[in-house]
Amino acid sequence: MTLCVFALIASEFMPVSLLTPIAADLRVSEGWAGYGIAVSGAFAVLTSLSISALAGNMNRKTLLLGLTGLMAVSGAVVALAPNYLIYMAGRALIGIVIGGFWSMSAATAMRLVPAAQVPRALAIFNGGNALATVVAAPLGSYLGSVIGWRGAFLCLVPVAAITLVWQWASLPDMTAERATGSGNVFRLLESRAVALGMAACGAFFMGQFALFTYVRPFLETVAHVDVSTLSLILLGIGVAGFIGTALIGTFLRRGLYRTLIAIPILMAAIALALIPFGASVGIVAALLVVWGLLATSAPVGWWSWIAQALPKDAEAGGGLMVAVIQLAIALGSTVGGVLFDSSGYQSTFVASASVLLLAALLSLLTSRA
């Protein structure tokens, strides 16, 4: 399951490190290429809200295997896409996998380990996420320079195939349990605290991906880095994120809401600082490393919030949060792309900072609710 998380996150965000060559090859702007992340987010939203009803009584092991196979198909479609439309279709397929997999992640952990070990199992799942941030972006950038962006996406196909075989051999049968309807999921929003928390979570991810989706064109056009330096910076972001994921538990134990408020404030400050220091490679690299430390560890905080705010509805709350996060990623990358194409990186970064500050305010209101 953790290997599947690694392959899934690598597939989802591979365009970030390959945005420039994708845009050039498909003859679209970098903003339009960035919409490949937006469309995967949109399809993830639809899938996360409907997967239980659509799957019905299907064995959950079979469903997970089907989603993993679809991940391999997505990588092949994107890599072999002859035009922009087919590229977007491949990105839509990975969105279906994202929505389905993450919606079932908590329930799967509950089926695989004793109840007392579920938080640890989810943390191990998130370790696949952190590892993907360490490896995927810099490796994607490097492979893109060596074998092209299409070759980089093709490399995801055998990883997905290995994951499929490993899951088939290791996962037990998981017969379907009574599905929670989408009405019950939305009913959670009747609680003011839950509604505010979901809004805060959504604002955080929207602000994060309004900026992060366009890191590569910013580094290439403003900081004027070459491919090797770009790969090193992306590696630094990933390593920092892995460290942040390991350390954030200490801060969450000391104060969940203080952590959820502080992270977006610090990230907003970084987004604004990148504007005047954009031409200084050293300063930009340092700022982005701190960004990676904060951004990659933040989801652990939001999953902890779900467990605290909805102890009896953690599965339904997790499904709703998946939809909120993916919708926010889609909106963030879209708004960021529009601003990047029309007004330049400065407007994109200011917008990112503004939404992140809104996330901090909403987190404060959540704590009081």
Side-chain angles (χ1 to χ4, degrees), residues 44-53 99 103 180-182 185-186 319-320 323-324:
V45 170
L46 297 174
T47 306
S48 66
L49 294 176
S50 59
I51 186 70
S52 294
S103 294
T180 300
S182 61
V185 171
F186 288 112
L320 181 59
V324 168

Side-chain angles (χ1 to χ4, degrees), residues 19 58-59 64 69 99 130 132-133 143 176 184 197 203 215 224 233 242 248 251 285 292-294 306 311 318 339 348:
L19 208 59
M58 181 184 296
N59 188 296
L64 284 169
T133 64
L143 290 175
N184 288 330
V215 159
H224 300 292
I233 293 174
F242 191 82
I248 193 174
F251 294 94
L293 181 105
L294 297 168
I306 283 288
L339 292 173
T348 298

